[in-house]
C-alpha cells in the first residue's frame, strides 16, 4: 500500500501476521473452532482489554487522505471493505459486498451489497455510502495522498438501488478488487463525512465505520482506544467466528523506541508488540510467556534500484557485475540475525505472481563480477584499488536517506554492501542528504542507486517499479529510469486481466526481464512482520498486508 | 520606584518580548524557505504516491506557489491575528494542536524542575565545603548525570523501575505515577549542573567574612548555610535554572518519545520529521514565548532575592 519515505524504507513494515495462526484460521472451515496463537484449541474467552504497542503514530487518521501504513493497519479494525483478500491465496471473498460482477473490459464493477450492515453511529450502510466515500476520495479538495491512487482511472459510482452500485473506470483496471479490499477504500458513515469533513484526520469519535471496533478515544502522542462494536455481525468468511469481537477494549500505544516496546512486553504492560527488532527475536522466543509471530510482507522487497540513465549503470555489464558482487546471503544474515530471508526477485513470496524461477540465478560470484567489469573496460586501478577506465574511477553514488527516514538498519546493511563492492573495485559513495536534496536528486535521476521497498498485496506493484510511465516524480517507483517496450507492455497487460494464471505468467516475464536480463535492480531481502505477543493472546490473525486484525482475538489466562 | 517607572519598565519588557517573537517568527519562516526542494514533496516524503494533481492541490491550498515576498507579509498578518494556520499533515488548526498537547508537557517540566532543584539543594548544602570524600563522590555522580544522554538515562530508569521492579508504568499520561520516571529523566542532568554551580557558590560564600561573623553570633553551621550563604549562591542558581527551564522543551522531545507520553516534545518531533511547516513555526513561537516568560520570571526573582537590585529600577 501506500508508503511514505519511512514506510518505504521500512519495507512497509506495516504489519504483522502470525503464520501459525493463519494456518488455523484461513481454512475457511469455521466449524473447526478457534485457532490459537499457540496452535492449540480452546474455548474463546469473552471480554478483557488488550494493549498493542506500535512503533509509529498516524499523522492523519483519515483513511481517504493518509498514505501511512500505520493509519491503514490500525483503522483496519474500524473500517470494513467491499471485499476481503484471502491472506493465503490472495483471492477475494465477500465482505460488505455479497457478490460482484466485472465487465469483460474490466472497466465496470457491479457490487451487490449486504443490507444488514450499520455504521456505529446507527446509520445504514448502503450504495449511497459507497458513492459518497469514493467521490470524496477523488475530490481534489480531499487531498488524498494514497486512496485516490488506489481508485486509479475512476470515473464515477452509480447507485442502482440501495443494495447495488456500479463503479466505473476510464480504462481496464484489474487491481481494483485488491484496492477495494484495503482499509484505505473502507467506508466512513456519510453522516460523519458531512459533519466532520476535513476534520476526520483528527481521529477519535469522529472516526465512524462499520468495523468490529469503535474508535472511542485518542490521546495524541500516547494512545488510541477502541471498544467493541456490539452489533458487528458481518465478518468475512475467513474469520474464525461471526458476531462481535471478543475483546471489550483494544488500546493502541505509540512506543517508537524498540527497547521500550520490548521491555513493556516483557514486563506484561502490553500484550502485543509490533516490529520486534531482529536482534531480540532469539531472546523473546526463549521466554516461556512470550511468542513471536512472523509473516513475510507482500509487495516489492527491499531492493537496490539502479539508475540506468547515466554512467556507469547505463552499461548492462556494470549492472550485472554490481548484482554479482554483493554477498547478499551473508550480509542479510549478519545484519538481521536470520530474521529475514534473502530475496531473489522484486516481488515478495507473499505476493500473488511471485516467481520462483529466479531463485539462485544471481548468486554471489565475485569472479564473474570481476570478469564482467574487465570486459566492460574497467581494467585500470587507482591507488586505492578502485577500477578505472580512461582515467575515470568506477564510482557509484548511493545517497543515505535523512537519518530520521533510515529504518531496519538499512545504513548498516549498506555498509556491508559497500565493503563487498570494494572487493571488486567499485567505489560506493554514500553522502548523507536532507529530505529536500534527497528527493530532488532522486526525482531528477541524479543518483546511481536508490533503495526502497513497496508494500502491496498485488503484483501490479511491478508496474510502479518498471513501467517507464512511473518515474518517482509522478508517484511511481521507477528509479531505474529505464524504458523497455516489453516491460511497459507486460506491466500494462497485467492490468487487463483478472485471470490469476494469465497474470502470473505475465508478471513472471516481468521479473525475469527486469531483474535477470536487464539487471535493473538488486533484490536484497524479504521483510517480515515480526510480532511479539504474550502467550495469553489467542486468535491473533492478520490480513493480506500482514496487518493484525483483532476481531477473533481473545485473552486467556 | 514610581508608578511611571513601573509602567516604563513594563512597556520596555513588552516591546522586547514582541521583538523576540517577531524575530523567532522571521527566522523560522526564513529557515523553512531555505529547506532545499519543493515544500510539498519534502512534506510528503521521498516515496509518496500522491499524484501531481494532489500535489498541486496541496500547493494551492497552503498558498505555497506564491513568491516569498507575498508569502511573508501574509504569514505575519495571520500571526498578528493569532492565526497560526493549519497543520499540513493532520489538517487541524495549529493552535488547537498545541493547546491539546501543552498541559502534559507543562506538568512534566514543572515536576522535572522541582526534582532538579530539590536534589541540587540537598546535595549541595550537604556537601559544600566539607567531607572531601563525600564531596568527590557527589561531584562524580553529578558529572555522570550531566554527561549521560537523557535518552539513555530514561531507558535505564525504565528498565530498572518499570520493566524489572514494576513500580511505575512505562506508559504515558496516566496519573502521577507515570510522571515520575520521565520527570526524573529530565531532572537528573539538570540537578547535576545545578548542584555543581550551587556548591561552588556556597563554598565561595562560606569563605566570606560574614560567615565568621554569623558563626560568632552563635549560629550553627547549617543555619549559616541555609540563611546566609544560600542567598548569595542563589543568584547564579536562578539564572541557570531559568536557562535550563527554557531548554526543557528540547529535552521533552526525547523523553516524551521514549516514554510514549503526549506533549509538545512529541508534537515537535512529528512536526519536524514531517516538515509540517505551520506546526513547526507554531512550536518555534511557543518556545520563544516560553523563553520570554522565563527570563521575565528570572528578573523578578532577582529582585526578590537581592534587595540591592530593588533600589535602582533603571539598572533592571
Amino acid at each position: 500500500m501506500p508508503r511514505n519515505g519511512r514506510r518505504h524504507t521500512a519495507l512497509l513494515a506495516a504489519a504483522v501476521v502470525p503464520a501459525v495462526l493463519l494456518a488455523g484460521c484461513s481454512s475457511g472451515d469455521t466449524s473447526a473452532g478457534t485457532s490459537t496463537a499457540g496452535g492449540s484449541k480452546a474455548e474463546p474467552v469473552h471480554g478483557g482489554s488488550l494493549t498493542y504497542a506500535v512503533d509509529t503514530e498516524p499523522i492523519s487518521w483519515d483513511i481517504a487522505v493518509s498514505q501511512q501504513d500505520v493509519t491503514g493497519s490500525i483503522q483496519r479494525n474500524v473500517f470494513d471493505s467491499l471485499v476481503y483478500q484471502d491472506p493465503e491465496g490472495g483471492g477475494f471473498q465477500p465482505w460488505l459486498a455479497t457478490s460482484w460482477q466485472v465487465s469483460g473490459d474490466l472497466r465496470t464493477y457491479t457490487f451487490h451489497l449486504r443490507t444488514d450492515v450499520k455504521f456505529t453511529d446507527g446509520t445504514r450502510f448502503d450504495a449511497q455510502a459507497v458513492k459518497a466515500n469514493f467521490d470524496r476520495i477523488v475530490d481534489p479538495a480531499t487531498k488524498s495522498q494514497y486512496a485516490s491512487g488506489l481508485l486509479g482511472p475512476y470515473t464515477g459510482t452509480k447507485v442502482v438501488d440501495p443494495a447495488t452500485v456500479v463503479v466505473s473506470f476510464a480504462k481496464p483496471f484489474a487491481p481494483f478488487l485488491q484496492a477495494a479490499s484495503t482499509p484505505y477504500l473502507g467506508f466512513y458513515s456519510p453522516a460523519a463525512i458531512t459533519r466532520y469533513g476535513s476534520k476526520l484526520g483528527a481521529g477519535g469519535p469522529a472516526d465512524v465505520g462499520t468495523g468490529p471496533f469503535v474508535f472511542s478515544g485518542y490521546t495524541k502522542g500516547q494512545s488510541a482506544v477502541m471498544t467493541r462494536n456490539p452489533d458487528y455481525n458481518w465478518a468475512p468468511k475467513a474469520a474464525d467466528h461471526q458476531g462481535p469481537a471478543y475483546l471489550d477494549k483494544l488500546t493502541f500505544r505509540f512506543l517508537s523506541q524498540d527497547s521500550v516496546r520490548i521491555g513493556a512486553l516483557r514486563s506484561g504492560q502490553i500484550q502485543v508488540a509490533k516490529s520486534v527488532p531482529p536482534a531480540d527475536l532469539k531472546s523473546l522466543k526463549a521466554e516461556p510467556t512470550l511468542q513471536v509471530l512472523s509473516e513475510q510482507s507482500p509487495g516489492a522487497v527491499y531492493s537496490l534500484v539502479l539508475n540506468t540513465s547515466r554512467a556507469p549503470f547505463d552499461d548492462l555489464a556494470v549492472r550485472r557485475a554490481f548484482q554479482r558482487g554483493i554477498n547478499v546471503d551473508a550480509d542479510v544474515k549478519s545484519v538481521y540475525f536470520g530474521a529475514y530471508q534473502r530475496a531473489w526477485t522484486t516481488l515478495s513470496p507473499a505476493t500473488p505472481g511471485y516467481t520462483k524461477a529466479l531463485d539462485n540465478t544471481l548468486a554471489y560470484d565475485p569472479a564473474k563480477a570481476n570478469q564482467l567489469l574487465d570486459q566492460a573496460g574497467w581494467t585500470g586501478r587507482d591507488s586505492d584499488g578502485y577500477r578505472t577506465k580512461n582515467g575515470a574511477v568506477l564510482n557509484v553514488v548511493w545517497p543515505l536517506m535523512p537519518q530520521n527516514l533510515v529504518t531496519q538498519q538499512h545504513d548498516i546493511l549498506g555498509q556491508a554492501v559497500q565493503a563487498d563492492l570494494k572487493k571488486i573495485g567499485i567505489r560506493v559513495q554514500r553522502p548523507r542528504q536532507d529530505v529536500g536534496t534527497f528527493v530532488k536528486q532522486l526525482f531528477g535521476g541524479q543518483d546511481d542507486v536508490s533503495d526502497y521497498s513497496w508494500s502491496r498485496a498485488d503484483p501490479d506493484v511491478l508496474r510502479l517499479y518498471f513501467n517507464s510511465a512511473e518515474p518517482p516524480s509522478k508517484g511511481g517507483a521507477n528509479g531505474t529510469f529505464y524504458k523497455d517496450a516489453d516491460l511497459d507492455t507486460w506491466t500494462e497487460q497485467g492490468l487487463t486481466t483478472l485471470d490469476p494464471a494469465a497474470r502470473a505468467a505475465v508478471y513472471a516475464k516481468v521479473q525475469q526481464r527486469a531483474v535477470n536480463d536487464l539487471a535493473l535492480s538488486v533484490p536484497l531481502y524479504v521483510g517480515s512482520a515480526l510480532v511479539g505477543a504474550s502467550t495469553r493472546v489467542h486468535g491473533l490473525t492478520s490480513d493480506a498486508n500482514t496487518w493484525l486484525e483483532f476481531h477473533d482475538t481473545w485473552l486467556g489466562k | 520606584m514610581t508608578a511611571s517607572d513601573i509602567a516604563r519598565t513594563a512597556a520596555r519588557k513588552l516591546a522586547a518580548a514582541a521583538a523576540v517573537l517577531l524575530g523567532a517568527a522571521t527566522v523560522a519562516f526564513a529557515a523553512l524557505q531555505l529547506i532545499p526542494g519543493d515544500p510539498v514533496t519534502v512534506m510528503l516524503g521521498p516515496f509518496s504516491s500522491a499524484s501531481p494533481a494532489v500535489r498541486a492541490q496541496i500547493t494551492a491550498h497552503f498558498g505555497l506557489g506564491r513568491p516569498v515576498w507575498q508569502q511573508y507579509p501574509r504569514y505575519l498578518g495571520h500571526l498578528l491575528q493569532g492565526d497560526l494556520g493549519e497543520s499540513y499533515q493532520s489538517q487541524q488548526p495549529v493552535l488547537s494542536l498545541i493547546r491539546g498537547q501543552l498541559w502534559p508537557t507543562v506538568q512534566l517540566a514543572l515536576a522535572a524542575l522541582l526534582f532538579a532543584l530539590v536534589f541540587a539543594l540537598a546535595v549541595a548544602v550537604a556537601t559544600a565545603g566539607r567531607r572531601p570524600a563525600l564531596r568527590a563522590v557527589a561531584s562524580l555522580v553529578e558529572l555522570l548525570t550531566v554527561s549521560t544522554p537523557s535518552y539513555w538515562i530514561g531507558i535505564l530508569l525504565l528498565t530498572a523501575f518499570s520493566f524489572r521492579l514494576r513500580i511505575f508504568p512505562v506508559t504515558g499520561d496516566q496519573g502521577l505515577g507515570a510522571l515520575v520516571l520521565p520527570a526524573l529523566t529530565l531532572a537528573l542532568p539538570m540537578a547535576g549542573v545545578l548542584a555543581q554551580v550551587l556548591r561552588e557558590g556556597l563554598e565561595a560564600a562560606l569563605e566570606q567574612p560574614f560567615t565568621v561573623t554569623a558563626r560568632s553570633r552563635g549560629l550553627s553551621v547549617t543555619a549559616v548555610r541555609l540563611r546566609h550563604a544560600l542567598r548569595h549562591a542563589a543568584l547564579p542558581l536562578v539564572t541557570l535554572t531559568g536557562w535550563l527551564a527554557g531548554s526543557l522543551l528540547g529535552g521533552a522531545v526525547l523523553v516524551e518519545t521514549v516514554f510514549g507520553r503526549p506533549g509538545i516534545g512529541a508534537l515537535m518531533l512529528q512536526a519536524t520529521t514531517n516538515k509540517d511547516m505551520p506546526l513547526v513555526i507554531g512550536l518555534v513561537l511557543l518556545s520563544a514565548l516560553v523563553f520570554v516568560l522565563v527570563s521575565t520570571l528570572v528578573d523578578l526573582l532577582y529582585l526578590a532575592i537581592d534587595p540591592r537590585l530593588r533600589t535602582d529600577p533603571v539598572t533592571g
Side-chain angles (χ1 to χ4, degrees):
Chain A
M1 329 269 37
R3 52 298 140 53
N4 56 21
R6 187 175 311 131
R7 111 180 276 205
H8 262 16
T9 47
L11 247 200
L12 320 157
V16 172
V17 180
V20 200
L21 303 187
L22 283 178
C25 68
S26 57
S27 65
D29 177 7
T30 46
S31 68
T34 306
S35 65
T36 69
S40 63
K41 306 281 184 204
E43 204 45 45
V45 175
H46 291 259
S49 168
L50 181 145
T51 301
Y52 172 33
V54 296
D55 57 350
T56 43
E57 178 176 0
I59 300 163
S60 166
W61 287 97
D62 192 336
I63 49 173
V65 169
S66 177
Q67 60 180 342
Q68 287 183 288
D69 278 358
V70 67
T71 304
S73 66
I74 296 179
Q75 296 279 41
R76 177 78 289 181
N77 298 287
V78 180
F79 293 95
D80 297 327
S81 295
L82 286 174
V83 296
Y84 184 82
Q85 186 175 20
D86 184 348
E88 291 281 277
F92 300 98
Q93 302 179 1
W95 198 354
L96 294 182
T98 52
S99 62
W100 53 90
Q101 290 95 42
V102 185
S103 67
D105 62 0
L106 299 189
R107 288 170 54 178
T108 3
Y109 289 71
T110 306
F111 293 93
H112 303 281
L113 309 176
R114 290 183 73 124
T115 50
D116 58 344
V117 175
K118 278 197 307 191
F119 288 103
T120 53
D121 61 5
T123 58
R124 196 160 283 286
F125 167 79
D126 58 13
Q128 195 55 47
V130 175
K131 181 175 168 57
N133 276 272
F134 287 177
D135 285 353
R136 171 174 182 254
I137 288 169
V138 298
D139 181 351
T142 306
K143 301 196 283 286
S144 169
Q145 294 172 18
Y146 185 65
S148 60
L150 288 176
L151 279 178
Y154 176 81
T155 50
T157 299
K158 197 171 97 196
V159 174
V160 177
D161 61 55
T164 315
V165 281
V166 179
V167 184
S168 305
F169 300 94
K171 292 190 292 193
F173 190 48
F176 179 58
L177 282 180
Q178 197 278 332
S181 76
T182 69
Y184 304 96
L185 299 188
F187 302 97
Y188 282 105
S189 148
I193 292 179
T194 309
R195 182 155 168 215
Y196 299 102
S198 66
K199 306 298 170 216
L200 286 172
D207 203 73
V208 181
T210 60
F213 289 92
V214 181
F215 194 162
S216 49
Y218 172 46
T219 308
K220 194 172 168 47
Q222 178 176 300
S223 59
V225 178
M226 320 251 154
T227 46
R228 173 173 48 203
N229 172 6
D231 299 328
Y232 193 72
N233 198 24
W234 41 86
K237 273 220 176 58
D240 278 353
H241 81 293
Q242 288 298 321
Y246 296 122
L247 295 168
D248 286 336
K249 188 174 154 192
L250 172 62
T251 304
F252 293 86
R253 293 251 358 164
F254 311 118
L255 295 175
S256 59
Q257 301 296 318
D258 290 345
S259 54
V260 175
R261 216 166 46 251
I262 300 310
L265 176 68
R266 283 208 161 104
S267 59
Q269 298 182 52
I270 60 172
Q271 288 75 48
V272 185
K274 187 182 150 171
S275 301
V276 170
D280 285 324
L281 269 190
K282 218 173 153 186
S283 71
L284 282 187
K285 280 181 181 161
E287 291 201 28
T289 59
L290 296 179
Q291 54 186 329
V292 178
L293 311 162
S294 158
E295 186 75 5
Q296 290 186 332
S297 310
V301 302
Y302 179 71
S303 308
L304 304 184
V305 177
L306 311 185
N307 176 2
T308 63
S309 71
R310 54 183 236 156
F313 288 139
D314 52 355
D315 184 343
L316 176 62
V318 177
R319 299 203 295 273
R320 284 182 176 284
F322 194 85
Q323 282 181 328
R324 294 307 193 107
I326 301 173
N327 193 350
V328 180
D329 266 329
D331 297 348
V332 168
K333 194 174 275 175
S334 62
V335 175
Y336 300 114
F337 304 92
Y340 300 146
Q341 180 194 320
R342 79 149 293 170
W344 293 107
T345 175
T346 306
L347 282 189
S348 137
T351 323
Y354 166 78
T355 176
K356 286 179 78 71
L358 269 64
D359 281 15
N360 300 310
T361 53
L362 295 168
Y364 181 50
D365 190 346
K368 171 100 179 156
N370 274 316
Q371 190 193 334
L372 283 163
L373 291 175
D374 287 340
Q375 285 166 5
W378 294 94
T379 45
R381 294 278 177 169
D382 73 0
S383 56
D384 294 323
Y386 293 114
R387 288 172 178 271
T388 57
K389 178 162 118 179
N390 304 330
V393 177
L394 182 46
N395 191 48
V396 163
V397 181
W398 174 16
L400 273 162
M401 297 242 182
Q403 186 72 55
N404 58 39
L405 297 181
V406 173
T407 52
Q408 307 259 326
Q409 295 183 291
H410 286 163
D411 45 352
I412 312 227
L413 183 60
Q415 284 170 15
V417 168
Q418 209 172 6
D420 292 341
L421 292 166
K422 185 174 182 180
K423 289 183 199 150
I424 57 166
I426 299 180
R427 183 168 76 187
V428 178
Q429 287 183 312
R430 304 217 64 192
R432 169 83 70 193
Q433 291 175 347
D434 60 86
V435 181
T437 309
F438 182 85
V439 167
K440 214 170 130 195
Q441 297 270 105
L442 175 69
F443 285 15
Q446 301 298 307
D447 319 310
D448 299 312
V449 182
S450 43
D451 53 311
Y452 43 88
S453 56
W454 194 293
S455 149
R456 168 137 205 209
D458 190 285
D460 181 42
V461 70
L462 290 171
R463 186 175 50 89
L464 298 184
Y465 265 61
F466 300 119
N467 191 293
S468 61
E470 296 290 342
S473 58
K474 290 194 183 153
N478 190 352
T480 72
F481 298 94
Y482 196 82
K483 185 172 170 56
D484 180 70
D486 284 342
L487 287 176
D488 285 356
T489 309
W490 295 336
T491 50
E492 273 150 30
Q493 258 175 26
L495 287 178
T496 60
T497 172
L498 282 176
D499 175 16
R503 293 190 95 201
V506 128
Y507 289 119
K509 284 196 288 185
V510 171
Q511 293 167 69
Q512 167 73 33
R513 175 132 182 99
V515 180
N516 204 327
D517 302 350
L518 295 174
L520 299 178
S521 72
V522 189
L524 291 182
Y525 70 88
V526 183
S528 282
L530 302 174
V531 176
S534 154
T535 46
R536 290 180 58 211
V537 180
H538 302 268
L540 203 52
T541 59
S542 63
D543 69 4
N545 283 303
T546 71
W547 294 346
L548 289 184
E549 297 173 307
F550 291 92
H551 172 248
D552 287 327
T553 306
W554 52 279
L555 282 175
K557 295 213 175 62
Chain B
M1 189 187 280
T2 67
S4 70
D5 284 339
I6 293 173
R8 207 181 316 140
T9 309
R12 209 176 47 209
K13 292 255 177 229
L14 271 176
V20 168
L21 288 176
L22 177 69
T26 305
V27 169
F29 180 85
L32 291 170
Q33 295 299 321
L34 293 175
I35 293 177
D38 158 52
V40 174
T41 303
V42 169
M43 173 188 117
L44 292 176
F47 297 101
S48 167
S49 52
S51 66
V54 168
R55 290 170 198 267
Q57 178 71 21
I58 296 174
T59 306
H61 183 84
F62 294 107
L64 294 170
R66 298 160 199 249
V68 176
W69 60 266
Q70 278 182 12
Q71 284 188 48
Y72 180 65
R74 191 163 161 264
Y75 152 79
L76 280 188
H78 284 294
L79 282 187
L80 283 177
Q81 297 161 31
D83 174 10
L84 294 178
E86 192 182 78
S87 154
Y88 288 172
Q89 300 256 355
S90 66
Q91 307 204 341
Q92 293 170 72
V94 167
L95 211 54
S96 77
L97 275 176
I98 291 181
R99 210 185 294 127
Q101 299 290 297
L102 196 54
W103 179 233
T105 302
V106 169
Q107 267 182 316
L108 176 67
L110 289 181
L113 269 180
L114 186 73
F115 279 148
L117 285 172
V118 169
F119 281 161
L121 277 172
V123 173
V125 170
T127 59
R130 48 183 169 187
R131 280 168 288 191
L134 188 66
R135 188 187 181 288
V137 170
S139 273
L140 184 69
V141 172
E142 287 155 14
L143 209 63
L144 273 177
T145 62
V146 172
S147 49
T148 311
S150 63
Y151 160 79
W152 185 236
I153 294 181
I155 300 271
L156 289 180
L157 288 174
L158 268 176
T159 305
F161 294 103
S162 182
F163 302 156
R164 288 205 200 275
L165 300 175
R166 308 194 182 178
I167 301 174
F168 300 107
V170 65
T171 51
D173 189 15
Q174 301 174 340
L176 285 180
L179 188 59
V180 175
L181 293 183
L184 271 181
T185 305
L186 266 183
L188 285 176
M190 280 177 74
V193 177
L194 293 177
Q196 299 227 324
V197 170
L198 189 59
R199 183 164 43 235
E200 297 288 323
L202 280 175
E203 284 173 351
L206 288 174
E207 280 167 17
Q208 300 284 318
F210 72 77
T211 306
V212 183
T213 316
R215 288 282 285 140
S216 68
R217 282 192 280 113
L219 276 180
S220 73
V221 178
T222 307
V224 170
R225 281 163 188 266
L226 291 179
R227 277 192 231 156
H228 295 274
L230 200 54
R231 194 178 271 264
H232 281 258
L235 281 184
L237 184 74
V238 166
T239 313
L240 199 62
T241 307
W243 184 76
L244 288 173
S247 68
L248 274 178
L249 201 56
V253 174
L254 286 173
V255 171
E256 289 172 1
T257 308
V258 169
F259 287 87
R261 274 181 65 82
I264 294 294
L267 197 62
M268 178 100 87
L269 187 68
Q270 208 179 59
T272 46
T273 50
N274 298 314
K275 299 288 179 291
D276 194 337
M277 296 177 237
L279 191 50
V280 171
I281 287 175
L283 290 167
V284 166
L285 289 179
L286 175 73
S287 315
L289 190 68
V290 168
F291 170 77
V292 168
L293 288 178
V294 169
S295 61
T296 309
L297 198 65
V298 166
D299 288 351
L300 293 175
L301 275 175
Y302 264 55
L303 295 180
I305 291 167
D306 192 342
R308 287 170 296 179
L309 297 175
R310 280 174 238 166
T311 54
D312 182 7
V314 185
T315 58

